[in-house]
């Protein structure tokens, strides 16, 4: 057996005159390359996304508030402008990814919000700030739900939870990095070239963002479509062979290729429970995150007269807890045989109930507030858990999956646009009384909805047709045989019985035989 590139070639002789070799794709090596070029870009993109996003909060508490004369709940209004831009562009961005190459669109969006981040260093008024944040959000909204759509197109169910966790953790690492970076920038660059330290933060953020956009345009392969290796100005055709791209797609569960992106997608989505319940559960899960995502800890630290460095550094512990809980939940789902997504959802709900009670009872006690805020970071694990869950349940219909994933994030953002103003306004610091009651309610409700989703999931699994396992390498041979045959739909085995092949899209025909116990 010889080797050529990433393949091991094996020759099988069905007849003496059959000398055509069969190329076998090594799945582990393919998975390594997917991680290296797909996962790396989306993680870098999400990392810089959160560096840019948290930079705004860090700039606010590091002098921007005073320089631009922010008043009362102006910070909440600026965040609301960002949220509005985020929610109105969520579904359009995901649908664009079904039409435009994700390599081009995601790279362009990264470039666009990098330029807008740079423009923040020149702002001189609150209104300018709100306008730029709105357009930043339009381009940033492609990242989270769009990436989950892409991950679901590359990874199998037992691989998805871990990769989703790594992806969401990269954003939390960006949040931690932004806080530490702001401290160092303020110490070393504040006043340089007559610019305040918070303005330098946006300049450096932009300098970090632009190279990531270029990296994505060159190395990110987008979706594993069969013709992905024909992309111009891309290294995809060098990184992946045509057979590897086919294998990458076909190793996943069967997908209904008859569905199209047209008006029929609307009744398809609405008549299924996926859109309704997954959107609802992430509305609740997103508001469980509201305590930490709305920077209540930074506001509390400012109210209690902590130093600038402490106001930037102490909240990083929340993100550290988020990373540990996210990775831990993914490992549980990936390697524990009886693990279920709803198990993690209920545990998160219980912990957030405890957090709400702690803040409500002793909001001025530093030890209790620190503990509650850090424990609240566990809610970040819900990002990976709920979106991986939706990815798995909606895999069969690509268009539905794109809309469900985008809707989950969109509706959560739509609620959060006013939720933070009503329940976590800056004026309620340091007590957050209304926010504590709201958190208690959403935590309990998220557990209930998760259990309901599990009931529907069990019902559907009992109704689904069980398909036999097909080695994707065999499907590659079928394509070669089909080129020499007038009949692509079936062949006869040695006993004269009909035996099915994959269709040209690489999926098993819908009338495939079922497995019986």
């Amino acid at each position: 057996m010889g080797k050529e590139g990433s393949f091991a070639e094996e020759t099988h002789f069905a007849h003496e005159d059959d000398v055509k070799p069969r190329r076998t794709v090594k799945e582990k090596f393919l998975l390594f390359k997917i991680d290296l070029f797909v996962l790396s870009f989306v993680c870098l993109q999400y990392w810089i996304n959160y560096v840019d996003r948290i930079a705004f909060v860090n700039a606010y508490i590091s002098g921007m508030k005073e320089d631009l004369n922010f008043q009362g709940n102006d910070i909440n209004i600026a965040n609301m402008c960002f949220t509005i831009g985020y929610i109105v562009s969520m579904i359009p961005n995901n649908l664009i990814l079904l039409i435009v190459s994700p390599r081009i669109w995601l790279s362009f969006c990264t470039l666009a919000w990098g330029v807008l981040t740079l423009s923040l260093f020149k702002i001189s008024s609150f209104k300018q700030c709100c306008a730029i944040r709105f357009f930043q959000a339009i381009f940033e909204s492609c990242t989270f739900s769009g990436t989950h759509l892409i991950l679901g197109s590359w990874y199998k169910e037992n691989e998805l939870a871990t990769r989703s966790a790594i992806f969401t953790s990269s954003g939390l690492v960006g949040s931690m990095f932004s806080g530490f970076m702001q401290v160092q920038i303020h110490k070393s660059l504040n006043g340089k070239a007559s610019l305040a330290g918070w303005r330098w933060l946006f300049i450096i953020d932009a300098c970090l963002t632009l190279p990531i956009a270029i990296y994505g345009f060159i190395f990110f392969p987008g979706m594993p479509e069969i013709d992905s290796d024909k992309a111009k100005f891309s290294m995809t055709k060098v990184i992946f062979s045509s057979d590897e791209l086919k294998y990458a797609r076909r190793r996943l569960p069967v997908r209904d290729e008859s569905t199209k992106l047209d008006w029929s997608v609307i009744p398809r989505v609405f008549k299924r429970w996926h859109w309704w319940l997954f959107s609802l559960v992430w509305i609740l899960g997103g508001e469980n995150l509201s305590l930490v995502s709305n920077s209540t800890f930074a506001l509390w630290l400012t109210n209690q007269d902590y130093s600038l460095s402490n106001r930037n550094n102490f909240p990083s512990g929340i993100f550290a807890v988020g990373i540990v809980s996210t990775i831990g939940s993914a490992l549980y789902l990936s390697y524990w045989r009886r693990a279920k997504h709803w198990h993690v959802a209920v545990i998160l709900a219980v912990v957030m109930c405890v957090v709400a009670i702690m803040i409500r009872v002793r909001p001025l006690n530093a030890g209790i507030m620190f503990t509650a805020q850090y424990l609240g970071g566990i809610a970040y694990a819900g990002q990976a858990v709920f979106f991986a869950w939706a990815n798995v349940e909606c895999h069969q219909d690509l268009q539905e999956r794109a809309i469900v994933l985008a809707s989950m994030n969109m509706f959560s953002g739509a609620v959060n646009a006013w939720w933070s103003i009503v329940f976590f306004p800056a004026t309620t610091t340091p007590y957050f009384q209304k926010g504590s009651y709201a958190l208690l309610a959403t935590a309990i409700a998220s557990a209930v909805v998760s259990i309901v989703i599990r009931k529907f999931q069990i019902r559907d699994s009992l109704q689904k047709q069980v398909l036999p396992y097909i080695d994707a390498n065999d499907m590659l041979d079928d394509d070669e045989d089909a080129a020499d045959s007038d009949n692509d739909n079936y062949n006869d085995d040695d006993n004269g019985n009909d035996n099915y092949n994959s269709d040209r899209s690489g999926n098993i025909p819908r009338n495939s035989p079922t497995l019986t116990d």
Side-chain angles (χ1 to χ4, degrees), residues 161-218:
T162 305
R163 272 69 181 188
S164 296
I166 293 172
F167 165 67
T168 55
S169 295
S170 66
L172 301 179
V173 172
S175 300
M176 297 174 62
F177 179 82
S178 185
F180 294 132
M181 185 172 69
Q182 171 60 17
V183 172
Q184 296 305 315
I185 288 174
H186 195 273
K187 287 181 179 179
S188 58
L189 293 177
N190 188 38
K192 296 288 184 179
S194 301
L195 293 177
W198 64 267
R199 295 184 186 273
W200 278 110
L201 178 61
F202 293 127
I203 295 173
I204 293 175
D205 280 353
C207 292
L208 293 173
T209 304
L210 302 184
I212 294 175
I214 297 172
Y215 171 76
F217 182 73
I218 297 174

Side-chain angles (χ1 to χ4, degrees), residues 89-110:
S89 55
M90 193 83 60
I91 290 180
N93 268 323
N94 255 26
L95 295 180
I96 288 173
L97 290 174
L98 301 181
I99 302 172
V100 180
S101 168
R103 176 181 69 90
I104 295 175
W105 187 247
L106 292 184
S107 300
F108 167 74
C109 287
T110 306

Side-chain angles (χ1 to χ4, degrees), residues 76-93:
N76 297 98
I77 296 173
N79 287 335
M80 183 180 69
C81 291
F82 181 91
T83 302
I84 292 173
Y86 202 75
I87 62 179
V88 299
S89 55
M90 193 83 60
I91 290 180
N93 268 323

Side-chain angles (χ1 to χ4, degrees), residues 39-322:
L39 193 61
S40 67
F41 171 66
V42 296
C43 285
L44 283 171
Q45 190 194 37
Y46 199 45
W47 171 77
I48 198 61
N49 185 302
Y50 260 81
V51 169
D52 293 345
R53 196 177 301 186
I54 298 300
F56 182 75
V57 177
N58 291 333
Y60 174 80
I61 62 177
S62 301
M64 185 173 72
K65 175 184 177 181
E66 292 76 17
D67 290 352
L68 300 185
N69 195 28
F70 275 58
Q71 302 291 329
N73 290 324
D74 281 354
I75 181 65
N76 297 98
I77 296 173
N79 287 335
M80 183 180 69
C81 291
F82 181 91
T83 302
I84 292 173
Y86 202 75
I87 62 179
V88 299
S89 55
M90 193 83 60
I91 290 180
N93 268 323
N94 255 26
L95 295 180
I96 288 173
L97 290 174
L98 301 181
I99 302 172
V100 180
S101 168
R103 176 181 69 90
I104 295 175
W105 187 247
L106 292 184
S107 300
F108 167 74
C109 287
T110 306
L111 176 66
W113 90 60
V115 172
L116 288 168
T117 298
L118 178 63
S119 68
L120 282 172
F121 97 95
K122 290 290 290 182
I123 58 175
S124 57
S125 69
F126 167 69
K127 291 182 179 180
Q128 292 175 357
C129 175
C130 290
I132 293 174
R133 291 289 286 166
F134 173 81
F135 288 105
Q136 264 188 313
I138 288 177
F139 294 106
E140 288 191 28
S141 68
C142 72
T143 305
F144 187 77
S145 54
T147 293
H148 281 289
L149 174 66
I150 291 168
L151 294 180
S153 298
W154 284 98
Y155 293 105
K156 295 190 289 189
E157 180 177 353
N158 64 325
E159 302 161 351
L160 190 57
T162 305
R163 272 69 181 188
S164 296
I166 293 172
F167 165 67
T168 55
S169 295
S170 66
L172 301 179
V173 172
S175 300
M176 297 174 62
F177 179 82
S178 185
F180 294 132
M181 185 172 69
Q182 171 60 17
V183 172
Q184 296 305 315
I185 288 174
H186 195 273
K187 287 181 179 179
S188 58
L189 293 177
N190 188 38
K192 296 288 184 179
S194 301
L195 293 177
W198 64 267
R199 295 184 186 273
W200 278 110
L201 178 61
F202 293 127
I203 295 173
I204 293 175
D205 280 353
C207 292
L208 293 173
T209 304
L210 302 184
I212 294 175
I214 297 172
Y215 171 76
F217 182 73
I218 297 174
F219 292 101
F220 179 56
M223 296 279 201
E225 303 298 336
I226 292 176
D227 61 349
S228 295
D229 59 341
K230 299 178 182 178
K232 294 182 179 180
F233 310 111
S234 170
M235 291 295 290
T236 301
K237 58 187 177 183
V238 177
I239 299 166
F240 297 97
S241 71
S242 178
D243 280 350
E244 285 179 311
L245 290 170
K246 292 176 184 178
Y247 187 101
R249 183 178 180 179
R250 297 178 179 190
R251 73 193 191 100
L252 299 180
V254 64
R255 192 176 78 197
D256 187 355
E257 294 288 339
S258 67
T259 61
K260 298 183 182 298
L261 183 57
D262 54 27
W263 291 110
S264 68
V265 72
I266 297 177
R268 287 207 316 272
V269 169
F270 284 174
K271 73 179 182 180
R272 297 168 183 163
W273 61 266
H274 303 140
W275 182 80
W276 302 93
L277 290 184
F278 279 120
S279 295
L280 176 58
V281 80
W282 188 238
I283 288 174
L284 299 169
E287 300 322 318
N288 286 346
L289 261 174
S290 190
L291 174 73
V292 292
S293 65
N294 284 294
S295 306
T296 58
F297 195 30
L299 295 174
W300 187 89
L301 292 169
T302 302
N303 179 269
Q304 300 297 302
D305 293 325
Y306 281 76
S307 67
L308 175 62
S309 61
N310 286 338
R311 296 200 302 267
N312 280 287
N313 289 334
F314 284 164
S316 298
I318 296 173
F319 307 124
V321 172

